[in-house]
Amino acid sequence: MKRRKFLKNSTKITAGLVSAPLLASYPDTRKIETKINDHTVETKPIAICTWNFQNATAKAWEVLKNGGSALDAVEQGVMVEEANENNQTVGKGGRPDRNGNVTLDACIMDKDGHCGAVLAMQNIAHPVSVARKVMEDTPHVMLAGKGAEQFAYEKGFEKVNLLTEKSKQEWLEWKKTSKYKPIINIENHDTIGMLAIDKNGDISGACTTSGMAYKYAGRVGDSPIIGAGLFVDNEVGGATATGVGEEVVRTVGSFLIVELMRQGKSPQEACEEGVKRIMAKNKDNTDFQIGFIAMNKKGDTGSFCIHPGFTYRQYSNEGHVNNPSDSFIKR
Ligand code: SD4
């Protein structure tokens, strides 16, 4: 379905209408309990992602269902969108910067607080996997630009032309006026952030994007910034964001939401507070979109956004559903 049409329709969606048949049972039927400090929490395997990326979340769920780790689930899940050339905000097929170069941002974070990120990296199809290599094979957290690309080649990643004909033609069209104005819910908002809990009750997350279309060369948003576009604390939960990254960075949105959950807020309440914090800094400017999703250690989830139209896809043993998100501005 065309993005514009989907977003038009998405406001009509209700959780009940889109819930799908029950999935094959999770193989391990034991209650999953994990210890947080001195108390035990019952938890459930689950994967969620920003927007209605059914194939990506299904892939993550397949990994979880087969007993894989949350880290593998989120990596393999978001890779589905990185490879999807029809998604013009992630990976190959992403819209370029104003010079015509597709530059990708991604990060990943595991249950132990280890994390890795690549920023403004060109010519590599799976930035999330390079981010994982940064996390696992280097003493660093972030690699940017040419250095990230060089590191990827050293790790065996292939050079790929990320600019598809469609994105190129649209960019050439854009250059005629060169107006830079992100449109709410459209064109710039297909970034995938994903969170998962595995059979051990451990949480990981990943986030990947080509950033804002026609951005200044070198511009980096929130998506690869740990704490802004993604944050995981295995004792509490995780959060991730989509939308205008500059505003997410200003409030360190995902970290804020996880800390609010640590203080006792539900994922839903924490996402709402996160958006309100952003809106408090933007009293005269509401003309942009941001969506947060969050989950806590038990597998409870929540989301909130500025404008109607945002949804998040969820897979668990109870089935899969595209959850419509409540919004700060109602209509
Ligand atoms: C960014 N947050 O680069 C990203 C854009 C985005 O869906 O979310 N697109 O600011």
Side-chain angles (χ1 to χ4, degrees):
M1 195 190 302
K2 276 242 159 23
R3 175 113 206 105
R4 194 180 292 263
K5 197 159 162 221
F6 160 70
L7 286 162
K8 252 172 106 185
N9 292 345
S10 66
T11 50
K12 295 181 199 144
I13 290 170
T14 66
L17 275 178
V18 291
S19 74
L22 280 186
L23 300 171
S25 279
Y26 193 74
D28 189 343
T29 49
R30 276 176 309 143
K31 272 190 192 161
I32 297 159
E33 292 180 335
T34 47
K35 248 192 153 56
I36 299 179
N37 299 330
D38 53 352
H39 60 281
T40 300
V41 176
E42 206 182 300
T43 186
K44 67 173 181 194
I46 185 168
I48 59 172
C49 75
T50 54
W51 302 109
N52 186 20
F53 293 124
Q54 179 163 1
N55 295 341
T57 330
K59 179 72 202 175
W61 180 247
E62 186 190 310
V63 173
L64 296 175
K65 219 170 48 165
N66 292 328
S69 69
L71 186 64
D72 286 339
V74 295
E75 181 190 6
Q76 291 179 37
V78 301
M79 281 174 76
V80 170
E81 281 311 311
E82 288 183 337
N84 175 7
E85 290 182 24
N86 293 324
N87 182 337
Q88 290 181 282
T89 315
V90 181
K92 185 167 181 183
R95 291 190 179 83
D97 64 18
R98 54 190 55 199
N99 295 347
N101 295 314
V102 180
T103 67
L104 303 181
D105 303 328
C107 70
I108 193 160
M109 190 162 194
D110 77 5
K111 65 183 172 60
D112 299 313
H114 298 135
C115 47
V118 290
L119 288 65
M121 183 177 68
Q122 296 184 35
N123 299 317
I124 305 289
H126 287 295
V128 72
S129 301
V130 184
R132 183 165 176 177
K133 291 275 183 218
V134 173
M135 173 174 87
E136 291 177 342
D137 296 357
T138 79
H140 307 306
V141 167
M142 292 190 243
L143 291 180
K146 284 280 166 231
E149 190 179 339
Q150 186 189 324
F151 172 74
Y153 296 140
E154 279 166 23
K155 290 291 163 186
F157 290 81
E158 278 175 18
K159 185 168 185 171
V160 173
N161 176 16
L162 300 172
L163 187 62
T164 55
E165 200 44 41
K166 183 168 190 268
S167 288
K168 185 178 172 182
Q169 290 310 323
E170 287 180 10
W171 165 66
L172 290 172
E173 197 54 37
W174 172 82
K175 279 219 302 183
K176 291 180 186 163
T177 54
S178 301
K179 276 212 183 87
Y180 184 74
K181 174 127 183 53
I183 306 170
I184 293 165
N185 281 344
I186 307 171
E187 273 94 27
N188 277 306
H189 296 286
D190 276 342
T191 292
I192 182 163
M194 183 177 277
L195 303 165
I197 301 181
D198 62 28
K199 69 176 192 312
N200 299 320
D202 289 325
I203 308 174
S204 292
C207 189
T208 180
T209 190
S210 53
M212 307 305 279
Y214 321 131
K215 60 197 174 185
Y216 278 89
R219 180 267 184 189
V220 173
D222 60 320
S223 302
I225 306 296
I226 295 295
L230 173 77
F231 195 72
V232 169
D233 184 322
N234 202 35
E235 296 212 330
V236 179
T240 185
T242 180
V244 177
E246 282 74 4
E247 295 301 330
V248 179
V249 169
R250 286 172 77 200
T251 52
V252 200
S254 294
F255 179 74
L256 170 66
I257 287 170
V258 172
E259 284 305 299
L260 289 165
M261 291 194 290
R262 186 193 302 282
Q263 289 161 23
K265 287 204 189 308
S266 68
Q268 183 60 36
E269 290 166 342
C271 288
E272 288 179 18
E273 180 62 29
V275 169
K276 281 178 193 156
R277 208 66 81 81
I278 289 170
M279 299 324 286
K281 292 196 169 121
N282 284 283
K283 293 224 162 57
D284 302 323
N285 170 27
T286 58
D287 204 12
F288 62 99
Q289 175 69 305
I290 286 172
F292 286 115
I293 63 171
M295 65 166 50
N296 66 16
K297 190 73 181 167
K298 291 186 281 184
D300 301 330
T301 66
S303 74
F304 203 63
C305 57
I306 299 174
H307 294 272
F310 177 57
T311 67
Y312 70 103
R313 174 60 69 167
Q314 172 169 329
Y315 268 69
S316 73
N317 211 20
E318 284 139 35
H320 53 100
V321 63
N322 184 32
N323 293 307
S325 180
D326 200 1
S327 53
F328 182 84
I329 293 166
K330 297 300 174 198
R331 195 118 295 281

PDB file of all heavy atoms in Angstrom, residues 297-321:
ATOM      1  N   LYS A 297      10.132  -4.330  31.352  1.00  0.00           N
ATOM      2  CA  LYS A 297      10.734  -5.647  31.542  1.00  0.00           C
ATOM      3  C   LYS A 297       9.696  -6.778  31.474  1.00  0.00           C
ATOM      4  O   LYS A 297      10.010  -7.909  31.124  1.00  0.00           O
ATOM      5  CB  LYS A 297      11.427  -5.622  32.908  1.00  0.00           C
ATOM      6  CG  LYS A 297      12.295  -6.771  33.218  1.00  0.00           C
ATOM      7  CD  LYS A 297      13.584  -6.744  32.435  1.00  0.00           C
ATOM      8  CE  LYS A 297      14.430  -7.968  32.783  1.00  0.00           C
ATOM      9  NZ  LYS A 297      15.540  -8.144  31.838  1.00  0.00           N
ATOM     10  N   LYS A 298       8.455  -6.431  31.787  1.00  0.00           N
ATOM     11  CA  LYS A 298       7.403  -7.457  31.765  1.00  0.00           C
ATOM     12  C   LYS A 298       6.868  -7.713  30.353  1.00  0.00           C
ATOM     13  O   LYS A 298       6.113  -8.648  30.134  1.00  0.00           O
ATOM     14  CB  LYS A 298       6.234  -7.020  32.667  1.00  0.00           C
ATOM     15  CG  LYS A 298       6.594  -7.020  34.141  1.00  0.00           C
ATOM     16  CD  LYS A 298       5.387  -6.720  34.996  1.00  0.00           C
ATOM     17  CE  LYS A 298       5.088  -5.241  35.002  1.00  0.00           C
ATOM     18  NZ  LYS A 298       3.983  -4.835  35.873  1.00  0.00           N
ATOM     19  N   GLY A 299       7.223  -6.835  29.430  1.00  0.00           N
ATOM     20  CA  GLY A 299       6.682  -6.968  28.073  1.00  0.00           C
ATOM     21  C   GLY A 299       5.449  -6.109  27.863  1.00  0.00           C
ATOM     22  O   GLY A 299       4.781  -6.228  26.827  1.00  0.00           O
ATOM     23  N   ASP A 300       5.119  -5.233  28.813  1.00  0.00           N
ATOM     24  CA  ASP A 300       4.061  -4.236  28.570  1.00  0.00           C
ATOM     25  C   ASP A 300       4.620  -3.215  27.580  1.00  0.00           C
ATOM     26  O   ASP A 300       5.805  -2.857  27.651  1.00  0.00           O
ATOM     27  CB  ASP A 300       3.700  -3.477  29.862  1.00  0.00           C
ATOM     28  CG  ASP A 300       3.233  -4.402  30.955  1.00  0.00           C
ATOM     29  OD1 ASP A 300       2.654  -5.455  30.633  1.00  0.00           O
ATOM     30  OD2 ASP A 300       3.472  -4.081  32.145  1.00  0.00           O
ATOM     31  N   THR A 301       3.755  -2.733  26.690  1.00  0.00           N
ATOM     32  CA  THR A 301       4.239  -1.777  25.687  1.00  0.00           C
ATOM     33  C   THR A 301       3.389  -0.512  25.694  1.00  0.00           C
ATOM     34  O   THR A 301       2.276  -0.494  26.240  1.00  0.00           O
ATOM     35  CB  THR A 301       4.188  -2.387  24.266  1.00  0.00           C
ATOM     36  OG1 THR A 301       2.817  -2.601  23.896  1.00  0.00           O
ATOM     37  CG2 THR A 301       4.951  -3.691  24.193  1.00  0.00           C
ATOM     38  N   GLY A 302       3.896   0.521  25.062  1.00  0.00           N
ATOM     39  CA  GLY A 302       3.143   1.763  24.928  1.00  0.00           C
ATOM     40  C   GLY A 302       3.723   2.602  23.810  1.00  0.00           C
ATOM     41  O   GLY A 302       4.819   2.310  23.293  1.00  0.00           O
ATOM     42  N   SER A 303       2.982   3.643  23.430  1.00  0.00           N
ATOM     43  CA  SER A 303       3.483   4.554  22.395  1.00  0.00           C
ATOM     44  C   SER A 303       2.756   5.894  22.528  1.00  0.00           C
ATOM     45  O   SER A 303       1.672   5.976  23.107  1.00  0.00           O
ATOM     46  CB  SER A 303       3.203   3.990  20.995  1.00  0.00           C
ATOM     47  OG  SER A 303       1.834   4.124  20.685  1.00  0.00           O
ATOM     48  N   PHE A 304       3.368   6.914  21.953  1.00  0.00           N
ATOM     49  CA  PHE A 304       2.710   8.213  21.891  1.00  0.00           C
ATOM     50  C   PHE A 304       3.398   9.010  20.790  1.00  0.00           C
ATOM     51  O   PHE A 304       4.571   8.805  20.495  1.00  0.00           O
ATOM     52  CB  PHE A 304       2.822   8.949  23.233  1.00  0.00           C
ATOM     53  CG  PHE A 304       1.745   9.986  23.447  1.00  0.00           C
ATOM     54  CD1 PHE A 304       0.408   9.622  23.518  1.00  0.00           C
ATOM     55  CD2 PHE A 304       2.069  11.342  23.579  1.00  0.00           C
ATOM     56  CE1 PHE A 304      -0.593  10.569  23.721  1.00  0.00           C
ATOM     57  CE2 PHE A 304       1.076  12.300  23.788  1.00  0.00           C
ATOM     58  CZ  PHE A 304      -0.249  11.913  23.862  1.00  0.00           C
ATOM     59  N   CYS A 305       2.619   9.911  20.169  1.00  0.00           N
ATOM     60  CA  CYS A 305       3.189  10.698  19.065  1.00  0.00           C
ATOM     61  C   CYS A 305       2.608  12.112  19.133  1.00  0.00           C
ATOM     62  O   CYS A 305       1.747  12.397  19.975  1.00  0.00           O
ATOM     63  CB  CYS A 305       2.879  10.035  17.732  1.00  0.00           C
ATOM     64  SG  CYS A 305       1.118   9.790  17.433  1.00  0.00           S
ATOM     65  N   ILE A 306       3.055  12.960  18.244  1.00  0.00           N
ATOM     66  CA  ILE A 306       2.546  14.344  18.259  1.00  0.00           C
ATOM     67  C   ILE A 306       1.256  14.433  17.441  1.00  0.00           C
ATOM     68  O   ILE A 306       0.255  14.961  17.921  1.00  0.00           O
ATOM     69  CB  ILE A 306       3.614  15.314  17.706  1.00  0.00           C
ATOM     70  CG1 ILE A 306       4.865  15.267  18.593  1.00  0.00           C
ATOM     71  CG2 ILE A 306       3.050  16.745  17.669  1.00  0.00           C
ATOM     72  CD1 ILE A 306       6.023  16.079  18.071  1.00  0.00           C
ATOM     73  N   HIS A 307       1.302  13.924  16.220  1.00  0.00           N
ATOM     74  CA  HIS A 307       0.131  13.996  15.335  1.00  0.00           C
ATOM     75  C   HIS A 307      -0.452  12.606  15.085  1.00  0.00           C
ATOM     76  O   HIS A 307       0.295  11.633  15.028  1.00  0.00           O
ATOM     77  CB  HIS A 307       0.530  14.598  13.978  1.00  0.00           C
ATOM     78  CG  HIS A 307       0.941  16.026  14.077  1.00  0.00           C
ATOM     79  ND1 HIS A 307       0.048  17.067  13.989  1.00  0.00           N
ATOM     80  CD2 HIS A 307       2.149  16.582  14.280  1.00  0.00           C
ATOM     81  CE1 HIS A 307       0.694  18.211  14.120  1.00  0.00           C
ATOM     82  NE2 HIS A 307       1.976  17.946  14.305  1.00  0.00           N
ATOM     83  N   PRO A 308      -1.745  12.489  14.905  1.00  0.00           N
ATOM     84  CA  PRO A 308      -2.338  11.189  14.587  1.00  0.00           C
ATOM     85  C   PRO A 308      -1.688  10.599  13.337  1.00  0.00           C
ATOM     86  O   PRO A 308      -1.241  11.338  12.461  1.00  0.00           O
ATOM     87  CB  PRO A 308      -3.804  11.525  14.292  1.00  0.00           C
ATOM     88  CG  PRO A 308      -4.049  12.849  14.901  1.00  0.00           C
ATOM     89  CD  PRO A 308      -2.738  13.582  14.912  1.00  0.00           C
ATOM     90  N   GLY A 309      -1.663   9.282  13.288  1.00  0.00           N
ATOM     91  CA  GLY A 309      -1.143   8.628  12.091  1.00  0.00           C
ATOM     92  C   GLY A 309      -0.051   7.625  12.380  1.00  0.00           C
ATOM     93  O   GLY A 309       0.272   6.794  11.540  1.00  0.00           O
ATOM     94  N   PHE A 310       0.521   7.710  13.583  1.00  0.00           N
ATOM     95  CA  PHE A 310       1.610   6.795  13.941  1.00  0.00           C
ATOM     96  C   PHE A 310       1.031   5.495  14.510  1.00  0.00           C
ATOM     97  O   PHE A 310       0.043   5.519  15.244  1.00  0.00           O
ATOM     98  CB  PHE A 310       2.509   7.477  14.983  1.00  0.00           C
ATOM     99  CG  PHE A 310       3.633   6.609  15.493  1.00  0.00           C
ATOM    100  CD1 PHE A 310       4.552   6.042  14.624  1.00  0.00           C
ATOM    101  CD2 PHE A 310       3.762   6.365  16.851  1.00  0.00           C
ATOM    102  CE1 PHE A 310       5.587   5.249  15.106  1.00  0.00           C
ATOM    103  CE2 PHE A 310       4.794   5.577  17.334  1.00  0.00           C
ATOM    104  CZ  PHE A 310       5.708   5.018  16.460  1.00  0.00           C
ATOM    105  N   THR A 311       1.652   4.368  14.145  1.00  0.00           N
ATOM    106  CA  THR A 311       1.259   3.072  14.702  1.00  0.00           C
ATOM    107  C   THR A 311       2.517   2.284  15.025  1.00  0.00           C
ATOM    108  O   THR A 311       3.603   2.643  14.554  1.00  0.00           O
ATOM    109  CB  THR A 311       0.417   2.241  13.707  1.00  0.00           C
ATOM    110  OG1 THR A 311       1.236   1.877  12.592  1.00  0.00           O
ATOM    111  CG2 THR A 311      -0.805   3.005  13.214  1.00  0.00           C
ATOM    112  N   TYR A 312       2.364   1.219  15.808  1.00  0.00           N
ATOM    113  CA  TYR A 312       3.521   0.319  15.988  1.00  0.00           C
ATOM    114  C   TYR A 312       3.083  -1.138  15.954  1.00  0.00           C
ATOM    115  O   TYR A 312       2.067  -1.513  16.497  1.00  0.00           O
ATOM    116  CB  TYR A 312       4.300   0.655  17.264  1.00  0.00           C
ATOM    117  CG  TYR A 312       3.637   0.336  18.583  1.00  0.00           C
ATOM    118  CD1 TYR A 312       4.029  -0.783  19.320  1.00  0.00           C
ATOM    119  CD2 TYR A 312       2.652   1.142  19.115  1.00  0.00           C
ATOM    120  CE1 TYR A 312       3.450  -1.077  20.550  1.00  0.00           C
ATOM    121  CE2 TYR A 312       2.051   0.857  20.329  1.00  0.00           C
ATOM    122  CZ  TYR A 312       2.457  -0.247  21.039  1.00  0.00           C
ATOM    123  OH  TYR A 312       1.876  -0.535  22.241  1.00  0.00           O
ATOM    124  N   ARG A 313       3.904  -1.929  15.301  1.00  0.00           N
ATOM    125  CA  ARG A 313       3.610  -3.348  15.092  1.00  0.00           C
ATOM    126  C   ARG A 313       4.164  -4.159  16.267  1.00  0.00           C
ATOM    127  O   ARG A 313       5.252  -3.890  16.763  1.00  0.00           O
ATOM    128  CB  ARG A 313       4.248  -3.760  13.765  1.00  0.00           C
ATOM    129  CG  ARG A 313       4.197  -5.201  13.395  1.00  0.00           C
ATOM    130  CD  ARG A 313       2.833  -5.803  13.268  1.00  0.00           C
ATOM    131  NE  ARG A 313       2.030  -5.340  12.142  1.00  0.00           N
ATOM    132  CZ  ARG A 313       0.911  -5.983  11.759  1.00  0.00           C
ATOM    133  NH1 ARG A 313       0.499  -7.077  12.360  1.00  0.00           N
ATOM    134  NH2 ARG A 313       0.187  -5.508  10.785  1.00  0.00           N
ATOM    135  N   GLN A 314       3.383  -5.130  16.692  1.00  0.00           N
ATOM    136  CA  GLN A 314       3.752  -5.916  17.881  1.00  0.00           C
ATOM    137  C   GLN A 314       3.549  -7.403  17.624  1.00  0.00           C
ATOM    138  O   GLN A 314       2.508  -7.804  17.109  1.00  0.00           O
ATOM    139  CB  GLN A 314       2.859  -5.458  19.037  1.00  0.00           C
ATOM    140  CG  GLN A 314       2.965  -6.277  20.294  1.00  0.00           C
ATOM    141  CD  GLN A 314       2.259  -5.583  21.461  1.00  0.00           C
ATOM    142  OE1 GLN A 314       2.215  -4.354  21.512  1.00  0.00           O
ATOM    143  NE2 GLN A 314       1.734  -6.348  22.382  1.00  0.00           N
ATOM    144  N   TYR A 315       4.529  -8.218  17.958  1.00  0.00           N
ATOM    145  CA  TYR A 315       4.412  -9.678  17.887  1.00  0.00           C
ATOM    146  C   TYR A 315       4.697 -10.252  19.257  1.00  0.00           C
ATOM    147  O   TYR A 315       5.698  -9.909  19.888  1.00  0.00           O
ATOM    148  CB  TYR A 315       5.451 -10.274  16.921  1.00  0.00           C
ATOM    149  CG  TYR A 315       4.973 -10.451  15.500  1.00  0.00           C
ATOM    150  CD1 TYR A 315       4.724  -9.349  14.696  1.00  0.00           C
ATOM    151  CD2 TYR A 315       4.809 -11.723  14.958  1.00  0.00           C
ATOM    152  CE1 TYR A 315       4.312  -9.518  13.382  1.00  0.00           C
ATOM    153  CE2 TYR A 315       4.411 -11.889  13.644  1.00  0.00           C
ATOM    154  CZ  TYR A 315       4.155 -10.778  12.866  1.00  0.00           C
ATOM    155  OH  TYR A 315       3.747 -10.943  11.570  1.00  0.00           O
ATOM    156  N   SER A 316       3.819 -11.134  19.723  1.00  0.00           N
ATOM    157  CA  SER A 316       4.102 -11.879  20.949  1.00  0.00           C
ATOM    158  C   SER A 316       3.374 -13.201  20.819  1.00  0.00           C
ATOM    159  O   SER A 316       2.739 -13.467  19.787  1.00  0.00           O
ATOM    160  CB  SER A 316       3.619 -11.122  22.197  1.00  0.00           C
ATOM    161  OG  SER A 316       2.211 -11.192  22.255  1.00  0.00           O
ATOM    162  N   ASN A 317       3.421 -13.980  21.855  1.00  0.00           N
ATOM    163  CA  ASN A 317       2.733 -15.262  21.818  1.00  0.00           C
ATOM    164  C   ASN A 317       1.216 -15.095  21.682  1.00  0.00           C
ATOM    165  O   ASN A 317       0.498 -16.020  21.320  1.00  0.00           O
ATOM    166  CB  ASN A 317       3.068 -16.044  23.095  1.00  0.00           C
ATOM    167  CG  ASN A 317       3.059 -17.531  22.838  1.00  0.00           C
ATOM    168  OD1 ASN A 317       3.177 -17.966  21.691  1.00  0.00           O
ATOM    169  ND2 ASN A 317       2.887 -18.312  23.877  1.00  0.00           N
ATOM    170  N   GLU A 318       0.738 -13.905  21.973  1.00  0.00           N
ATOM    171  CA  GLU A 318      -0.707 -13.646  21.887  1.00  0.00           C
ATOM    172  C   GLU A 318      -1.155 -13.280  20.474  1.00  0.00           C
ATOM    173  O   GLU A 318      -2.339 -13.062  20.237  1.00  0.00           O
ATOM    174  CB  GLU A 318      -1.085 -12.527  22.852  1.00  0.00           C
ATOM    175  CG  GLU A 318      -1.129 -13.005  24.295  1.00  0.00           C
ATOM    176  CD  GLU A 318      -0.537 -12.000  25.250  1.00  0.00           C
ATOM    177  OE1 GLU A 318      -0.684 -10.774  25.013  1.00  0.00           O
ATOM    178  OE2 GLU A 318       0.085 -12.434  26.229  1.00  0.00           O
ATOM    179  N   GLY A 319      -0.223 -13.158  19.555  1.00  0.00           N
ATOM    180  CA  GLY A 319      -0.588 -12.826  18.184  1.00  0.00           C
ATOM    181  C   GLY A 319       0.147 -11.591  17.711  1.00  0.00           C
ATOM    182  O   GLY A 319       1.074 -11.120  18.367  1.00  0.00           O
ATOM    183  N   HIS A 320      -0.273 -11.056  16.554  1.00  0.00           N
ATOM    184  CA  HIS A 320       0.375  -9.819  16.116  1.00  0.00           C
ATOM    185  C   HIS A 320      -0.668  -8.771  15.787  1.00  0.00           C
ATOM    186  O   HIS A 320      -1.787  -9.069  15.373  1.00  0.00           O
ATOM    187  CB  HIS A 320       1.338 -10.046  14.969  1.00  0.00           C
ATOM    188  CG  HIS A 320       0.787 -10.774  13.787  1.00  0.00           C
ATOM    189  ND1 HIS A 320       0.371 -10.135  12.656  1.00  0.00           N
ATOM    190  CD2 HIS A 320       0.617 -12.093  13.579  1.00  0.00           C
ATOM    191  CE1 HIS A 320      -0.033 -11.025  11.777  1.00  0.00           C
ATOM    192  NE2 HIS A 320       0.090 -12.229  12.310  1.00  0.00           N
ATOM    193  N   VAL A 321      -0.273  -7.550  16.004  1.00  0.00           N
ATOM    194  CA  VAL A 321      -1.235  -6.461  15.915  1.00  0.00           C
ATOM    195  C   VAL A 321      -0.497  -5.187  15.520  1.00  0.00           C
ATOM    196  O   VAL A 321       0.688  -5.018  15.832  1.00  0.00           O
ATOM    197  CB  VAL A 321      -1.945  -6.315  17.297  1.00  0.00           C
ATOM    198  CG1 VAL A 321      -0.973  -5.935  18.383  1.00  0.00           C
ATOM    199  CG2 VAL A 321      -3.083  -5.345  17.219  1.00  0.00           C
TER     200      VAL A 321
END
